Amino acid sequence: MTQADKSENQSFWEHLDVLRGYLIKITAVVVVCSIVAFFFKEQLFTVILAPKDAGFVTYRVLDRIGQALSGEQMPFFAVKLINTGLAEQFIIHMKTALYVGFLCASPYTLYLLYCFVSPGLYAQERKYAVRVVGSSYLMFMIGVCVSYFLIFPLTFRFLGTYQVSAEVDNMITLNSYMGTLFMMNLAMGIVFEIPILSWLFAKLGFISAQFMQRYRKHAIVIILIIAALITPTSDIFTLLLVAFPMWLLYEVSILIVKRV
């Protein structure tokens, strides 16, 4: 008897029991990954706090480009983070370790969830499920990397050094830094799912390339609105940094839908 036949012969409570077992495994792996991340505090926050330093890879690349084009170096900047709460640093440490634990355990989580639903799918549906889930995870991670290496550093450098007067110093809290970083990474990870959703909707016959081209102007307006909603700050610089990749993904989605 195949695994699919066994799944079909299981009762609702047996299915529920299998799901409970998978959820226990997922929770255990997340907890273990979070504990490991918690004890590697120095390495963890070296990576997370790297965009606030002038030696970050993005700033070095931009500095070299600026020297090649104009012969001038980018102005040096230094932003010092502060803490304003008694237990805030410890709480941020715990939350960060938990987030990293979820991220590290996500491939195993997706694998277990696929194992749970795959017995109820046909062979063709399993193939598409693997493609969609694998591509979605890959695009999400690409979106996180784009945010971490490009969008967030440029946003932080612009806003962290912006002054209305030389008499007003910027004092950025650790909580503000971490909240902005995580929010932008999550938002860009979700935004990079646009091509996958477009491919899926095209497969289902919900959209076409002609439809997306006809309503391109409407889509740009919607993109700007969404960028304004997911942007943690209210400045136009960050909004455009978030909206530009969304527009590029929309154009790429048109090409994908044409092929479908």
Side-chain angles (χ1 to χ4, degrees):
M1 184 180 294
T2 64
Q3 184 68 24
D5 295 331
K6 291 180 181 179
S7 178
E8 290 177 358
N9 293 330
Q10 288 179 339
S11 66
F12 170 77
W13 297 109
E14 288 173 329
H15 277 291
L16 197 61
D17 189 59
V18 172
L19 178 61
R20 183 182 63 179
Y22 284 150
L23 292 178
I24 291 174
K25 292 179 180 179
I26 291 172
T27 303
V29 173
V30 170
V31 170
V32 171
C33 291
S34 300
I35 292 175
V36 172
F38 183 85
F39 284 105
F40 283 87
K41 180 181 68 173
E42 295 297 330
Q43 294 82 353
L44 178 63
F45 280 91
T46 296
V47 174
I48 292 176
L49 299 179
K52 78 177 185 63
D53 296 323
F56 188 58
V57 58
T58 302
Y59 306 140
R60 295 203 306 267
V61 171
L62 293 177
D63 187 50
R64 291 177 182 176
I65 294 175
Q67 290 185 38
L69 295 178
S70 62
E72 298 181 359
Q73 289 185 334
M74 294 181 64
F76 177 81
F77 85 103
V79 178
K80 186 176 180 62
L81 302 180
I82 63 171
N83 177 60
T84 58
L86 179 62
E88 193 169 279
Q89 291 200 56
F90 180 73
I91 294 174
I92 289 175
H93 184 192
M94 292 185 63
K95 287 182 178 180
T96 304
L98 186 61
Y99 293 151
V100 173
F102 271 112
L103 190 63
C104 293
S106 55
Y108 182 70
T109 300
L110 292 175
Y111 170 74
L112 288 184
L113 293 178
Y114 173 77
C115 290
F116 178 72
V117 302
S118 62
L121 301 176
Y122 294 107
Q124 188 73 4
E125 292 173 334
R126 290 196 195 101
K127 182 178 71 173
Y128 280 121
V130 171
R131 288 182 181 179
V132 171
V133 174
S135 302
S136 299
Y137 182 77
L138 178 62
M139 292 300 294
F140 182 86
M141 296 307 298
I142 292 176
V144 171
C145 290
V146 169
S147 174
Y148 175 78
F149 286 104
L150 183 62
I151 296 179
F152 178 76
L154 295 180
T155 300
F156 181 78
R157 180 161 186 158
F158 173 74
L159 297 179
T161 58
Y162 186 83
Q163 291 179 291
V164 295
S165 172
E167 298 179 0
V168 182
D169 293 329
N170 287 327
M171 300 182 67
I172 302 173
T173 65
L174 176 63
N175 188 43
S176 174
Y177 176 92
M178 299 295 290
T180 304
L181 174 63
F182 286 141
M183 179 61 71
M184 294 189 72
N185 286 356
L186 177 62
M188 291 309 300
I190 295 174
V191 163
F192 268 68
E193 301 295 331
I194 292 176
I196 306 300
L197 293 176
S198 299
W199 176 85
L200 183 61
F201 290 158
K203 276 288 185 182
L204 297 174
F206 293 158
I207 60 174
S208 64
Q210 292 79 9
F211 175 85
M212 297 180 70
Q213 290 172 335
R214 186 183 310 124
Y215 291 97
R216 179 183 277 113
K217 294 181 180 179
H218 302 77
I220 292 175
V221 175
I222 295 174
I223 285 172
L224 291 174
I225 294 174
I226 295 175
L229 292 175
I230 66 177
T231 301
T233 56
S234 58
D235 62 289
I236 188 66
F237 179 80
T238 306
L239 186 146
L240 293 178
L241 274 179
V242 174
F244 183 70
M246 294 175 66
W247 171 73
L248 286 181
L249 290 170
Y250 184 83
E251 298 297 329
V252 170
S253 299
I254 294 177
L255 298 178
I256 293 175
V257 172
K258 279 183 178 180
R259 292 177 63 88
V260 174

